[in-house]
């Protein structure tokens, strides 16, 4: 409530900022409207362009890269998967999804273990921590070049399931571990101690106590692992070898394809992304709901 | 394994995390099987560390821990057959009440039917049958405590260790759960070791109260002994209910010392076990606040009473008694708890000059 | 049954070494990935930067400073760094400006916590989609015949399409801000969400205006988030080349772009030297930011 209203006039004038404020009856300050407008503009700018290309990808054969829409059809989607000109999109899709799946599994396991380790100090923990931060911020292409050079040197042929997998992990793992930090900060270590006190072995403690409690967090780690790998470009460019992943395919298309095929590919890959995001968020929501529902019985 | 014997012996127990400061500093204690023992002390006095060492969550730096006459240092909690009830309970948030209570059986490999049966029996014992399928997050503090108790007790431990079990509850519930703990301890017939910083809690439920300060035991014994006959100034002040006065020994007369200080002359205090006190020593003695009576300066009182002239500084009505705070005696506060009915026979008021008096043999000499 | 482990003295040291062992066992997989795929490549690049090129894609294993000398004596390199650095500053400034206020809005102005979380997720969803696609999606908007030019022409503000919108430095900055603001919003949002709302009320009680509160309470307490976001934005822009390449239409070059062209013509040693310098510059910038806050303490607490 307004405090200044009860001040005697002399004091009110002594404090220049003291002005009678309209009583707070649930209304919003003007800053709310300014910031809300900024927020709406931001979200529009975030999604607007993407929505434009989704729409434009559904043009018919006359379609071009800009508005206005010329007819509606699935022509460019068919074109995408059948034309030689657009490259091996289907193969790239398969590789990207398989690669992302492998990366996801490894990221979840390795991040979970590292998350457990970093709860307590151990000798050399800072070295590992800064190694991780370094790996996260190192320019991707430089890292890719290094991996490529090493492959040359060791006589290993670069491949999406070998060198590119490793290069991607050097990027998804630090991310996963950072997410695990946030997850573990909400895990009370006393649960673990209680489990031990009640007779659980270390393995039982992990399976029966730690994993179920932090499961939603692990889904979030998986989401990061999958999407970061699925869209990874810089680290993969010099390490994928002769067969392209999807982002590399898109990259080469941006350089030589000037038809709505490019947009169609954008639409398809975004649908996949949204499916994964929906699936992950849905799983997290489902886990939390199931916990709550248990009690309603 | 000595069966059912939950006696505990601590011998020369020391814990130091940095090798310099000792959090627990040479503790020796025997707790008989089936006793309710309370560790009492301010935070940081080492009481929780002792509890965790008995439980097996921490290893002592030095010394021995015997449970049922068997050396347990280095054993896992399960091998010790102890169970701990954690501060704020540490209930597993993803498991229902029944699953929480059945957890110790589950990790011991019991089948679903078997463990649910045992858990349900336990749930009934702690009167939570209606809530068996709830999650801990939806229980009140008192209910959570009962779940924690049931979970700790289900495997039939010989010692139950409770870390500040009542601190998460509000005042009213605390009294209620205190009784519940007492009842459970009698039902189970096992040793309880309970850590608290609340004096009232300790003396209300414990058979043995252990008062601690800075890693050391100051006094251990039955609740009434510790309250009524504190060993030293620290114990007397920490447990409360006592006036602790300091003065110089002016004369030794038979089994008593005559003690003087500013505004206190030749107060007779029985020496008791403190025969070594000599004339000129500075000593502390204690007198229970409810043993102090007030009279007008001109009133005549028997020779057997010690008297200190003073003045009323403030008065607080407490219901069944009146707390009268008098002027300090030699730097120590002097307080009288006068029963309500007696006070109002001749009520004093702030500023009145009075004589505070007590039966000579009620005063107790304290260790230095 | 009375088994004892070790002497009384080394019980505690035993405990500590046990945790060191479990700690290392648990981070071992992480280290096993980081050594060959982060440490070794960086070392490899550093080594490669000191050898000679035979001019045909091969390398001659002889030590030389020449690769670095070439870079430091070239006017072109300095221009490249300057151009990239300028993009980094612009991208950092605008993404911080927008990100800070968006996070502030979500934490302090949206009263329903569920709605705030939903709006927050709305902001983060594009992060999980393809960057390249989000970048090229500006083409139908910013192009000569794009929506913005058409609209402006239609209204009559301009009489011929603005070429500056696409394939220009402006377009590069737009694309960066579009992609990177999320890296500011998330950590700043997290920092702000941890601020105890009562400190704000206490400040108001003490007579602070809304602006004072932002300046004296919210901003200092969001420092960790700002530092984290800045690290992401700066390191990504410094290491990027494809946004510059696509959005500038070839008009602007970047450090990594030049480096990529070196790789393209198999000039590995000079590319490696350029990479080493770039990595050093990025590291210095990150270290400078890290000096302002103790990130690890903030992250793990």
């Amino acid at each position: 409530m307004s405090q200044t209203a009860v001040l005697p006039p002399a004091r009110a004038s002594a404090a220049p900022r003291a002005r009678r404020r309209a009583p707070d009856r649930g209304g919003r300050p003007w800053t709310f409207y300014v910031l809300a407008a900024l927020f709406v503009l931001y979200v529009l700018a975030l999604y607007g362009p993407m929505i434009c290309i989704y729409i434009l990808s559904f043009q018919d054969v006359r379609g071009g890269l800009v508005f206005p829409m010329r007819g509606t059809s699935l022509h460019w989607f068919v074109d995408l998967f059948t034309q030689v000109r657009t490259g091996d999109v289907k193969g790239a899709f398969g590789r990207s999804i398989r690669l992302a799946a492998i990366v996801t599994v490894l990221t979840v396991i390795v991040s979970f273990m590292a998350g457990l380790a970093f709860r307590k100090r151990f000798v050399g923990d800072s070295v590992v921590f800064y190694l991780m931060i370094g790996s996260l911020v190192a320019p991707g292409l430089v890292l890719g070049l290094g991996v490529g050079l090493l492959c040359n040197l060791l006589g290993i042929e670069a491949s999406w399931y070998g060198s590119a997998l490793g290069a991607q992990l050097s990027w998804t793992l630090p991310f996963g571990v950072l997410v695990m930090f946030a997850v573990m900060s909400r895990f009370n270590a006393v649960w673990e101690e209680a489990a031990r006190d009640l007779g659980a072995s270390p393995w039982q403690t992990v399976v029966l106590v730690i994993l179920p409690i932090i499961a939603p967090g692990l889904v979030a780690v998986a989401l990061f692992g999958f999407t970061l790998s699925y869209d990874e470009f810089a680290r993969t460019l010099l390490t994928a070898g002769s067969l392209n992943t999807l982002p590399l395919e898109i990259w080469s298309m941006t350089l030589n394809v000037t038809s709505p095929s490019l947009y169609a590919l954008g639409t398809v890959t975004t649908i996949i992304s949204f499916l994964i995001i929906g699936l992950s968020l849905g799983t997290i929501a489902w886990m939390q709901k199931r916990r709550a529902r248990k009690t309603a019985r | 394994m000595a069966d059912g014997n939950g006696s505990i012996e601590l011998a020369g127990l020391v814990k130091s995390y940095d090798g310099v400061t000792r959090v627990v500093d040479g503790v020796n204690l025997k707790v008989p099987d089936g006793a309710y023992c309370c560790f009492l002390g301010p935070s940081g006095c080492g009481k929780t560390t002792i509890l965790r060492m008995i439980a097996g969550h921490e290893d002592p730096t030095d010394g021995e821990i015997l449970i049922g006459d068997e050396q347990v240092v280095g054993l896992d909690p399960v091998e010790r057959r102890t169970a701990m009830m954690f501060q704020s309970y540490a209930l597993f948030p993803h498991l229902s009440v029944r699953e929480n209570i059945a957890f110790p059986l589950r990790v011991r490999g019991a089948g679903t039917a078997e463990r649910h049966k045992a858990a349900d029996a336990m749930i009934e014992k702690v009167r939570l049958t209606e809530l068996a399928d709830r999650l801990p997050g939806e229980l009140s503090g008192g209910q959570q405590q009962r779940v924690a108790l049931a979970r700790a007790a289900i495997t039939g431990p010989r010692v139950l260790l409770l870390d500040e079990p009542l601190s998460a509850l509000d005042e009213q519930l605390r009294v209620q759960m205190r009784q519940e703990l007492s009842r459970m301890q009698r039902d189970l017939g096992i040793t309880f070791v309970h850590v608290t910083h609340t004096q009232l809690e300790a003396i209300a439920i414990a058979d043995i109260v252990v008062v601690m300060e800075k890693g050391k035991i100051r006094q251990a014994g039955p609740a009434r002994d510790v309250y009524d006959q504190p060993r030293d100034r620290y114990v007397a002040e920490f447990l409360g209910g006592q006036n602790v006065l300091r003065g110089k020994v002016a004369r030794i007369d038979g089994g008593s010392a005559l003690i003087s200080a500013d505004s206190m002359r030749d107060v007779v205090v029985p020496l008791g076990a403190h025969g070594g006190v000599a004339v000129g020593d500075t000593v502390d003695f204690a007198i229970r606040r409810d043993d102090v009576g007030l009279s007008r300066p001109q009133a005549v009182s028997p020779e057997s009473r010690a008297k200190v002239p003073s003045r009323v500084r403030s008065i607080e009505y407490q219901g069944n008694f009146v707390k009268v705070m008098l002027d300090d005696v030699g730097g120590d506060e002097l307080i009288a708890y006068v029963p309500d009915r007696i006070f109002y026979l001749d009520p004093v008021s702030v500023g009145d000059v009075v004589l505070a008096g007590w039966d000579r043999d009620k005063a107790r000499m304290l260790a230095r | 049954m009375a088994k004892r482990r070790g002497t009384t003295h080394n019980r505690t040291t035993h405990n500590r070494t046990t945790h060191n062992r479990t700690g290392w066992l648990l981070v071992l997989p992480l280290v096993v990935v980081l050594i060959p795929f982060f440490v070794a490549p960086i070392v490899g690049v550093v080594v490669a930067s000191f050898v000679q090129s035979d001019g045909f894609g091969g390398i001659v294993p002889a030590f030389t400073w020449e690769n670095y000398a070439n870079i430091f004596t070239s006017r072109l390199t300095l221009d490249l760094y300057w151009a990239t650095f300028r993009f980094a500053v612009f991208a950092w400034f605008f993404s911080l400006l927008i990100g800070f206020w968006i996070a502030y809005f979500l934490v302090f102005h949206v009263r329903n916590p569920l709605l705030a979380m939903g709006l927050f997720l709305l902001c983060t969803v594009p992060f999980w989609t393809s960057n390249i696609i989000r970048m090229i999606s500006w083409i139908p908007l910013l192009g000569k015949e794009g929506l913005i030019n058409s609209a402006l022409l239609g209204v009559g503000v301009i009489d011929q399409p603005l070429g500056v919108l696409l394939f220009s430095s402006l377009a590069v900055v737009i694309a960066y801000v579009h992609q990177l603001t999320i890296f500011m919003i998330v950590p700043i949002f997290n920092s702000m969400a941890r601020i105890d709302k009562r400190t704000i009320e206490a400040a108001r009680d003490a007579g602070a205006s809304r602006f004072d509160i932002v300046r004296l309470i919210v901003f200092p307490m969001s420092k960790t988030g700002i530092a984290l976001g800045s690290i992401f934005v700066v390191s990504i822009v410094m290491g990027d080349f494809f946004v510059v390449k696509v959005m500038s239409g070839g008009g602007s070059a970047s450090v990594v772009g030049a480096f990529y062209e070196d790789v393209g013509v198999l000039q590995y040693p000079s590319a490696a030297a350029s990479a080493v310098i770039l990595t050093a510059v990025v590291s210095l910038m990150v270290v400078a930011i890290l000096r302002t806050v103790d990130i690890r303490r903030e992250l793990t607490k």
Side-chain angles (χ1 to χ4, degrees):
Chain A
M1 282 305 296
S2 170
Q3 297 179 339
T4 53
V6 297
L7 287 178
R11 258 195 74 195
S13 64
R17 246 199 253 119
R19 259 183 309 142
R20 184 190 292 263
R21 188 163 57 80
D24 186 351
R25 296 211 170 85
R28 311 272 195 171
W30 61 270
T31 46
F32 171 85
Y33 298 99
V34 174
L35 290 174
L38 174 76
F39 182 81
V40 170
L41 277 178
Y42 175 71
V43 171
L44 274 180
L46 202 56
Y47 287 90
M50 289 164 72
I51 291 169
C52 288
I53 68 160
Y54 307 150
I55 296 172
L56 287 175
S57 66
F58 288 97
Q59 299 177 93
D60 66 20
V61 69
R62 294 163 296 152
L65 284 179
V66 292
F67 282 105
M69 259 318 251
R70 293 192 178 87
T72 42
S73 76
L74 291 176
H75 174 84
W76 298 107
F77 290 89
V78 177
D79 183 76
L80 182 65
F81 288 100
T82 52
Q83 292 293 308
V84 181
R85 183 170 49 86
T86 50
D88 180 19
V89 172
K90 219 189 288 178
F93 246 124
R95 281 187 286 278
S96 265
I97 296 215
R98 270 177 289 165
L99 179 58
I102 300 168
V103 169
T104 305
V105 172
L106 292 175
T107 303
V108 168
I109 296 172
V110 176
S111 308
F112 173 62
M113 290 172 71
L116 288 183
F118 274 110
R119 287 184 304 161
K120 287 192 204 148
R121 308 287 316 219
F122 54 92
V123 177
D125 56 352
S126 301
V127 176
V128 181
F129 180 79
Y130 285 107
L131 217 57
M132 214 171 68
I133 298 292
S135 187
L136 191 67
V137 299
L141 209 63
V142 172
L143 218 63
L145 172 70
V147 174
L149 281 176
L150 282 185
C151 283
N152 268 342
L153 200 68
L154 299 173
I156 304 166
E157 201 174 329
S159 61
W160 63 268
Y161 48 83
S163 47
L165 171 65
Q168 291 199 346
L169 283 175
S170 74
W171 157 246
T172 59
L173 286 184
F175 249 107
V177 177
L178 288 186
V179 177
M180 276 305 294
F181 279 173
V183 172
M184 292 314 284
S185 71
R186 268 179 244 151
F187 181 86
N188 191 343
V190 82
W191 286 318
E192 214 180 331
E193 205 166 58
R196 178 170 172 244
D197 193 83
L198 297 167
S201 67
W203 179 246
Q204 283 175 322
T205 307
V206 170
V207 174
L208 298 177
V209 177
I210 302 181
L211 275 180
I213 293 179
I214 65 165
L218 288 182
V219 176
V221 173
L223 172 63
F224 273 87
F226 191 96
T227 55
L228 290 179
S229 160
Y230 181 71
D231 300 322
E232 214 301 317
F233 172 72
R235 277 160 209 250
T236 323
L237 185 59
L238 295 174
T239 54
S242 51
L243 296 170
N244 274 351
T245 61
L246 197 62
L248 302 187
E249 200 61 44
I250 300 172
W251 163 249
S252 65
M253 279 178 76
T254 58
L255 300 179
N256 46 41
V257 175
T258 48
S259 71
S261 279
L262 183 59
Y263 295 163
L265 182 52
T267 307
V268 173
T269 176
T270 312
I271 288 172
I272 305 268
S273 294
F274 273 105
L275 278 180
I276 297 289
I277 297 167
L279 196 68
S280 308
L281 297 182
T283 310
I284 294 174
W286 173 75
M287 282 174 169
Q288 271 154 2
K289 215 184 199 151
R290 198 179 56 145
R291 240 178 238 180
R293 204 185 43 220
K294 256 187 188 171
T295 64
R297 275 192 276 123
Chain B
M1 203 175 256
D3 205 53
N5 188 351
S7 67
I8 300 171
E9 186 175 346
L10 310 177
L13 201 61
V14 172
K15 178 69 182 182
S16 174
Y17 292 101
D18 53 5
V20 184
T21 41
R22 293 174 154 197
V23 187
V24 174
D25 190 3
V27 163
N28 296 297
L29 182 73
K30 280 186 182 177
V31 181
D33 183 28
Y36 200 123
C37 171
C38 256
F39 279 87
L40 174 64
S43 57
C45 73
K47 55 192 193 305
T48 299
T49 311
I50 292 181
L51 195 79
R52 293 171 54 78
M53 287 194 286
I54 299 175
H57 291 298
E58 257 165 73
D59 285 336
T61 311
D62 202 355
E64 312 292 346
I65 301 171
L66 284 83
I67 300 179
D69 302 323
E70 124 192 40
Q71 174 63 249
V72 294
V73 174
L75 296 184
D76 274 341
V78 181
E79 297 173 294
R80 293 174 191 222
R81 294 209 291 131
T82 57
M84 185 150 167
M85 202 173 106
F86 291 83
Q87 191 174 12
S88 72
Y89 316 129
L91 297 177
F92 302 125
H94 61 300
L95 298 180
S96 69
V97 167
R98 181 181 291 113
E99 287 165 330
N100 256 290
I101 294 174
F103 184 88
L105 305 176
R106 185 169 172 191
V107 297
R108 284 168 174 76
T112 314
E114 184 190 342
R115 63 173 193 255
H116 277 182
K117 203 176 143 210
D120 283 339
M122 203 54 167
I123 288 170
E124 208 174 304
K125 217 173 193 169
V126 293
R127 289 168 299 182
L128 285 171
T129 310
E130 274 95 88
L131 306 174
D133 291 313
R134 292 264 179 102
L135 288 179
E138 296 155 326
L139 303 182
S140 72
Q143 291 162 343
Q144 287 186 16
Q145 198 215 33
R146 282 192 250 155
V147 178
L149 196 61
R151 187 179 70 174
I154 195 161
T155 51
R158 49 182 174 172
V159 175
L160 192 69
L161 304 156
L162 306 101
D163 186 7
E164 301 267 5
L166 304 172
S167 63
L169 308 175
D170 61 38
E171 187 57 43
Q172 223 177 354
L173 209 54
R174 221 177 281 176
V175 176
Q176 200 184 324
M177 293 314 294
R178 208 158 75 186
Q179 290 161 2
E180 189 122 355
L181 284 180
S182 257
R183 185 180 67 82
M184 281 298 284
Q185 199 256 345
R186 279 196 309 275
D187 277 7
L188 296 167
I190 60 172
T191 313
F192 271 39
V193 180
H194 173 140
V195 157
T196 179
H197 60 261
T198 316
Q199 303 86 309
L200 273 177
E201 192 175 306
I203 58 178
I205 37 177
D207 303 321
I208 303 171
V209 174
V210 180
V211 185
M212 293 202 54
E213 187 202 16
K214 291 180 188 152
K216 290 196 162 97
I217 293 181
R218 298 307 291 252
Q219 187 170 2
R224 178 146 198 276
D225 288 5
V226 174
Y227 182 80
D228 188 52
Q229 297 161 32
R231 217 178 63 85
D232 58 15
R233 174 179 277 263
Y234 175 81
V235 175
E237 286 181 345
F238 193 75
L239 281 157
Q242 302 269 2
N243 293 300
V244 181
L245 304 180
R246 175 166 290 181
K248 260 202 162 66
V249 177
R251 203 146 48 86
I252 305 273
D253 183 6
S256 302
L258 274 72
I259 299 170
S260 296
D262 294 348
S263 68
M264 171 171 84
R265 265 195 42 226
D266 291 343
V267 171
V268 179
V269 177
L271 280 174
H274 302 276
V277 173
V279 173
D281 285 357
T282 304
V283 293
D284 290 331
F285 68 94
I287 177 72
R288 280 173 64 147
R289 288 173 179 174
D290 50 3
D291 279 337
V292 177
L294 303 177
S295 54
R296 301 286 179 186
Q298 62 277 15
V300 196
S301 66
E303 186 60 18
S304 64
R305 275 180 85 80
K307 291 175 286 280
V308 174
S310 191
R311 208 156 43 99
V312 176
R313 186 194 283 167
S314 67
I315 296 169
E316 268 178 19
Y317 183 59
Q318 304 271 343
N320 54 349
F321 67 88
V322 179
K323 182 177 179 184
V324 183
M325 281 151 276
L326 305 167
D327 274 349
D328 288 357
V329 174
D332 292 305
E333 58 180 8
L334 180 59
I335 292 167
Y337 289 166
V338 185
D340 171 49
R341 289 177 212 288
I342 293 176
F343 181 87
Y344 286 105
L345 292 178
D346 178 16
V348 293
S349 36
V350 173
D352 285 2
V353 173
V354 292
L355 273 180
W358 57 85
D359 288 341
R360 280 175 182 175
D361 54 352
K362 289 277 166 57
R364 287 184 47 80
M365 194 68 92
L366 298 178
R368 296 252 42 209
Chain C
M1 196 68 231
K3 79 174 171 201
R4 293 274 305 266
R5 261 186 224 155
T7 64
T8 42
H9 169 69
N10 61 25
R11 275 186 208 139
T12 34
T13 43
H14 169 84
N15 240 4
R16 208 169 297 142
T17 43
T18 310
H19 187 71
N20 281 337
R21 201 170 340 121
T22 25
W24 272 101
L25 270 177
L26 287 170
V27 289
L28 193 66
L30 177 67
V31 175
V32 163
V33 172
L34 291 184
I35 299 277
F37 292 105
F38 169 59
V39 179
I42 296 290
V43 172
V45 169
V46 172
V47 171
S49 70
F50 287 107
V51 299
Q52 294 171 9
S53 163
D54 65 2
F56 304 102
I59 48 173
V60 182
F63 179 84
T64 176
W65 286 106
E66 206 185 320
N67 303 311
Y68 287 96
N70 285 344
I71 290 173
F72 282 112
T73 51
S74 145
R75 172 81 209 161
L76 183 71
T77 330
L78 290 178
D79 287 346
L80 276 180
Y81 269 91
W82 173 241
T84 305
F85 182 73
R86 222 180 33 189
F87 281 135
V89 169
F90 276 112
W92 173 77
F93 177 78
F94 286 108
S95 60
L96 174 60
L97 189 71
I98 299 172
F100 182 86
W101 289 111
I102 297 280
Y104 178 78
F105 172 75
L106 291 177
V107 174
F108 293 105
H109 275 302
V110 181
R111 288 174 189 163
N112 179 347
L114 214 64
L115 180 65
M117 211 57 219
L119 293 179
F120 176 71
L121 277 180
L122 188 70
C123 291
T124 54
V125 162
F127 168 76
W128 288 309
T129 64
S130 169
N131 275 335
I132 307 181
I133 294 297
R134 285 202 285 143
M135 184 181 64
I136 58 172
S137 65
W138 282 102
I139 294 172
L141 267 125
L142 299 178
K144 275 219 164 69
E145 297 155 31
L147 275 185
I148 294 180
N149 268 326
S150 316
L152 292 178
L153 282 171
V155 177
V157 183
I158 49 173
D159 46 16
Q160 69 188 62
L162 292 171
V164 72
L165 288 179
L166 189 61
F167 303 135
S168 63
S169 296
L170 175 70
V172 174
V173 173
I174 289 178
Y176 277 140
V177 173
H178 187 222
Q179 268 177 30
L180 302 177
T181 302
I182 184 64
F183 286 95
M184 284 288 187
I185 294 179
V186 173
I188 297 178
F189 179 89
N190 277 332
S191 291
M192 283 182 182
R194 280 202 222 143
I195 299 176
D196 188 341
K197 294 280 194 300
R198 284 171 301 184
T199 56
I200 310 275
E201 277 163 20
R204 239 177 78 181
D205 219 59
S209 70
R210 230 192 297 279
F211 177 68
D212 287 338
I213 290 171
V214 171
R215 192 169 54 100
L216 300 172
I217 313 255
V218 178
F219 185 76
M221 288 175 102
S222 319
K223 253 181 156 165
T224 319
I226 293 171
L228 266 181
S230 303
I231 288 177
F232 276 118
V233 170
V234 167
S235 61
I236 290 175
V237 175
M238 292 300 288
D240 166 78
F241 80 104
F242 76 92
V243 173
V244 174
K245 184 158 175 135
V246 173
M247 295 308 276
S248 74
S252 301
S254 65
V255 177
V256 180
F259 153 86
Y260 182 61
E261 270 152 31
D262 273 353
V263 175
V265 295
L266 304 176
Q267 290 294 330
Y268 290 120
S270 73
S274 158
V276 168
I277 294 170
L278 174 72
T279 310
V281 169
V282 173
S283 308
L284 278 179
M285 292 170 95
V286 170
V287 168
I289 297 170
L290 276 175
R291 285 192 73 100
T292 59
V293 280
D294 183 349
I295 298 250
R296 174 166 184 199
R297 211 196 64 220
E298 298 277 343
L299 281 179
T300 46
K301 82 177 171 194

